[in-house]
Amino acid sequence: MSSLTVDELDMKPFKGLNMFFPSYSFSLIVAPSNSGKTILMKILSGLIFTESKVRVNRTYIENIKSEELNKKVQVLLDISSFIFQKETVSLELSSLLDELGYDKTGQNKLMKEIISTFSLQDIIKKDPNQLNYYLKLKVLLARIFLINPEIVLLDDITKDLLKEERKEIIKILKQYNNTGTTIIMSSSNFEDAIFLPNSRIYVLYHGDLLLSGSLQDIAKEDSLISKVGLKLPFMADLSVKLMYYGLLDHIELDKEKLVDILWK
């Protein structure tokens, strides 16, 4: 499996930026809207050329052949304008498996697995271009994981999701992360961090890396987070306020546990 390293970027707005995403990790990059998240994702995926700045394991990304890079690294940017080429979800997925060289037995096996994982049973015969954002996102993610990449980059994909939809998508992503896929996801919504309590979080602001660490660590910098236009998840924000008044000694994200602590 693969790690991703950024060595002293030399382009605006990320001049001097260093980042390291270990193999098997699930990292969350949180930044306000219009602060360069998409540019960073393009840099990390090789869509924006940088010389000797981004490495997949020990190899600079520009030295990896295009076909090999496509197998190793997949990126999902703005999906609102994405147009599927096939008439049904089933054909969209099976045609990709054809391109990847799977025989019918292999295709049937993978189709069953991906339909189950993403709960696509009710839409498998529908036109993917007519689906809502949440279901279209599921199909696009299914396509990505059929390729079986080592690194997946996701640019603010949860921005138009309801809370339960966001929770479901992140749950699926964690399943793939647990089997070895390195996932790097950007977001303009700190609420995503609630569903990733063990992940490393990076807070960016116009190219500068302001904070990095667990949600427990970052939440303590609530004043800085507010200054850059971000908002902590409700439970983290409440915990910080309770700590200020001496009613709590740690960040507690579980509502029921917090109630129990306060009533003791």
Side-chain angles (χ1 to χ4, degrees):
M1 290 296 103
S2 296
S3 62
L4 196 66
T5 305
V6 180
D7 297 321
E8 290 281 338
L9 282 181
D10 57 0
M11 63 173 61
K12 294 181 179 180
F14 303 105
K15 201 168 183 64
L17 181 67
N18 292 284
M19 302 182 83
F20 174 62
F21 306 97
S23 300
Y24 305 100
S25 64
F26 194 143
S27 303
L28 180 65
I29 300 171
V30 185
S33 299
N34 303 315
S35 60
K37 295 189 301 296
T38 299
I39 294 174
L40 180 59
M41 285 297 181
K42 288 180 178 180
I43 292 171
L44 295 179
S45 64
L47 292 176
I48 293 179
F49 177 79
T50 58
E51 187 173 358
S52 303
K53 297 299 178 185
V54 179
R55 286 183 285 120
V56 176
N57 294 328
R58 296 182 179 181
T59 305
Y60 286 113
I61 202 164
E62 67 269 22
N63 294 329
I64 303 174
K65 292 182 179 179
S66 178
E67 185 176 346
E68 182 184 354
L69 182 61
N70 189 55
K71 291 178 181 178
K72 282 183 175 290
V73 181
Q74 282 285 304
V75 60
L76 184 56
L77 302 170
D78 178 28
I79 77 168
S80 59
S81 59
F82 187 91
I83 298 177
F84 293 97
Q85 300 302 310
K86 302 299 180 181
E87 298 80 12
T88 68
V89 172
S90 178
L91 285 173
E92 188 69 32
L93 299 179
S94 61
S95 64
L96 173 61
L97 291 174
D98 269 335
E99 292 174 20
L100 294 172
Y102 287 95
D103 60 22
K104 289 300 179 183
T105 301
Q107 286 189 30
N108 290 337
K109 179 176 182 294
L110 286 172
M111 284 289 285
K112 287 180 181 178
E113 290 176 359
I114 210 75
I115 290 169
S116 175
T117 299
F118 285 91
S119 300
L120 302 177
Q121 295 88 343
D122 293 338
I123 64 168
I124 198 67
K125 297 300 181 182
K126 292 186 177 181
D127 182 346
N129 290 308
Q130 300 302 315
L131 299 175
N132 63 27
Y133 180 92
Y134 171 56
L135 296 176
K136 183 184 284 191
L137 175 60
K138 278 190 167 187
V139 177
L140 284 169
L141 289 173
R143 280 178 52 87
I144 283 176
F145 286 106
L146 282 176
I147 296 171
N148 194 30
E150 296 178 13
I151 299 173
V152 173
L153 302 164
L154 305 168
D155 182 36
D156 216 358
I157 61 168
T158 64
K159 62 182 179 181
D160 293 321
L161 298 179
L162 300 174
K163 182 177 180 179
E164 286 305 311
E165 293 172 342
R166 187 184 303 123
K167 181 179 180 180
E168 177 64 18
I169 290 296
I170 293 177
K171 178 182 176 183
I172 294 170
L173 294 175
K174 287 167 70 174
Q175 290 178 27
Y176 284 101
N177 174 243
N178 289 337
T179 59
T181 307
T182 301
I183 298 178
I184 304 166
M185 185 170 81
S186 74
S187 179
S188 52
N189 191 338
F190 240 120
E191 290 292 332
D192 288 339
I194 288 288
F195 308 116
L196 295 165
N198 299 317
S199 293
R200 189 168 191 84
I201 301 170
Y202 300 86
V203 180
L204 292 179
Y205 184 65
H206 294 304
D208 293 325
L209 179 58
L210 299 183
L211 300 166
S212 68
S214 67
L215 179 58
Q216 293 277 349
D217 296 328
I218 287 176
K220 297 171 185 176
E221 303 292 338
D222 58 316
S223 59
L224 177 58
I225 290 170
S226 297
K227 284 180 182 178
V228 301
L230 292 169
K231 186 177 180 181
L232 282 173
F234 173 75
M235 289 301 296
D237 186 53
L238 178 59
S239 293
V240 170
K241 289 179 171 61
L242 292 172
M243 290 169 67
Y244 178 80
Y245 289 106
L247 299 174
L248 200 64
D249 60 4
H250 66 284
I251 305 293
E252 181 54 69
L253 302 177
D254 188 295
K255 187 175 180 180
E256 292 183 3
K257 289 182 179 179
L258 179 59
V259 172
D260 288 342
I261 292 170
L262 294 176
W263 275 100
K264 285 182 179 179

